[in-house]
Amino acid sequence: MSRRGKKNKLKYAIILFVILIFTVIVELTLNPDILETINSRIPKIDLGDAMAVHYIDVGQGDAQLITLGDRAMLIDAGPNSEEDGLLLYLKMQDIDELEYVVFTHPHEDHIGGADMVLEKFCVRNVIMPDVIHISDTYLRMLEAVEKSDSKLIIAAPDREYAFGDASLKILAPISDDYTDLNDWSAVIRLTYGITSFMFMGDAEKVSENDIMNKYNGFELKCDVYKAGHHGSTTSNSPPFLAVCDPEFAVISCGKNNEYGHPHSEILKLFSEMDIEVYRTDIDGTVVLKSDGLSVSKIK
Ligand SMILES: [Zn+2]
């Protein structure tokens, strides 16, 4: 090739490169969702002996992944619309097997991805409350549980299970005659060393009162409180929060959701109680770390 030909080839290559960069910039400017998706893909978090608690951003819904060494468990599976995002997130974290999967209660924003989780991962134990619900999503979940090799554990108070060196205790549902499905939520307290994490599902004040009547303050104290019912005023009553006395609260909810979650009264309450708040609608996926002695935010 002549010198001139080589020069022309280089010129074209530079022009093509500039066009490519320009296209990417325009695409990201016009479609910020792409940027958001890229940001939500967190590379594998490996903390060695420490425990990681991921409050995964699944829009308006709940999904929390807990990892400790090579063990993993999942609390809720988000809404159906976020199933692909949840699958991607779990794959990015190198998850193949889940020792426990808790479906707190049968509402779609908690079990929408349940069938996917049961089909794509080796789930050892499924924990769920003994309540039925008539919906396609719930029936799909039941079918997937039946098809899987998972052991079914009914969420009942006082049941305690080992998760490596951590311990998972089911606090609720306590009664078997709740009229609101939210109060049937399996409430989980996870303890690692001297740190503890409370996962409220969508439990409302009726269940909170039952929990307070059954357990003493020592059994309810936690470092991190996953706000009940996406930060709604139906839950998170001041006396209950006073007993739990957390340092951090995490609210799992969708940006501009139709329910107005989290409610301003709850944000005010957290602020008055000096509780540091993280929100999946603002912060995206939140990841906290416990080394058994203290809790810190790593994302
Ligand atoms: Zn919910």
Side-chain angles (χ1 to χ4, degrees):
M1 195 185 286
S2 70
R3 239 175 110 173
R4 199 193 164 100
K6 267 189 195 164
K7 235 180 170 177
N8 274 342
K9 212 175 165 188
L10 185 68
K11 210 162 98 186
Y12 287 130
I14 291 172
I15 291 171
L16 274 178
F17 182 70
V18 170
I19 291 173
L20 182 72
I21 295 291
F22 181 73
T23 315
V24 170
I25 291 170
V26 169
E27 184 71 9
L28 287 177
T29 315
L30 295 179
N31 191 358
D33 281 354
I34 291 182
L35 205 60
E36 214 164 277
T37 317
I38 294 168
N39 285 341
S40 68
R41 291 176 191 184
I42 302 175
K44 180 174 163 61
I45 291 172
D46 194 350
L47 297 179
D49 283 345
M51 184 170 83
V53 183
H54 308 234
Y55 300 83
I56 305 170
D57 177 12
V58 286
Q60 182 65 14
D62 260 34
Q64 289 99 43
L65 167 74
I66 301 114
T67 57
L68 178 56
D70 52 11
R71 293 170 195 274
M73 66 177 274
L74 185 71
I75 300 179
D76 282 333
N80 209 314
S81 57
E82 296 297 317
E83 193 176 86
D84 292 345
L86 179 63
L87 174 62
L88 178 68
Y89 191 89
L90 297 176
K91 286 291 173 196
M92 293 284 281
Q93 296 305 314
D94 245 353
I95 307 292
D96 292 315
E97 185 179 314
L98 290 155
E99 199 162 328
Y100 302 97
V101 171
V102 182
F103 298 127
T104 60
H105 65 297
H107 278 151
E108 195 271 340
D109 55 324
H110 297 252
I111 61 158
D115 52 341
M116 177 279 289
V117 169
L118 288 157
E119 279 158 23
K120 305 275 186 193
F121 298 90
C122 171
V123 177
R124 296 277 173 218
N125 302 283
V126 170
I127 300 176
M128 57 188 211
D130 192 12
V131 63
I132 53 165
H133 181 50
I134 307 300
S135 76
D136 287 350
T137 309
Y138 180 71
L139 294 177
R140 259 203 326 271
M141 179 192 78
L142 282 192
E143 254 174 48
V145 172
E146 213 166 87
K147 268 192 214 156
S148 74
D149 293 326
S150 320
K151 184 182 163 198
L152 181 61
I153 297 172
I154 295 298
D158 284 327
R159 289 192 175 168
E160 224 167 328
Y161 302 91
F163 175 63
D165 288 336
S167 165
L168 174 171
K169 184 173 179 181
I170 301 171
L171 302 180
I174 290 170
S175 167
D176 56 10
D177 62 359
Y178 294 124
T179 49
D180 193 315
L181 209 50
N182 284 340
D183 282 319
W184 277 94
S185 286
V187 174
I188 306 286
R189 186 171 180 265
L190 186 67
T191 315
Y192 184 53
I194 58 167
T195 66
S196 53
F197 294 72
M198 191 82 102
F199 299 91
M200 296 301 300
D202 282 356
E204 299 193 359
K205 288 173 182 170
V206 173
S207 172
E208 289 175 3
N209 284 334
D210 287 346
I211 294 171
M212 276 191 289
N213 288 333
K214 180 168 169 57
Y215 300 98
N216 64 42
F218 181 72
E219 291 169 292
L220 300 179
K221 166 87 185 92
C222 62
D223 296 280
V224 187
Y225 173 84
K226 199 293 293 177
H229 200 191
H230 320 283
S232 163
T233 48
T234 53
S235 313
N236 314 294
S237 61
F240 187 69
L241 273 173
V243 181
C244 295
D245 189 25
E247 188 182 349
F248 305 103
V250 185
I251 300 169
S252 188
C253 65
K255 213 173 264 180
N256 304 320
N257 64 78
E258 58 184 298
Y259 312 99
H261 294 155
H263 291 149
S264 56
E265 296 91 328
I266 300 302
L267 292 176
K268 189 166 166 259
L269 183 64
F270 286 153
S271 154
E272 281 166 3
M273 296 181 79
D274 254 338
I275 302 169
E276 202 170 329
V277 178
Y278 303 122
R279 296 167 52 168
T280 58
D281 60 335
I282 292 177
D283 304 307
T285 294
V286 173
V287 186
L288 302 180
K289 169 190 168 179
S290 164
D291 60 5
L293 295 171
S294 64
V295 175
S296 53
K297 183 173 185 277
I298 56 172
K299 205 243 151 241

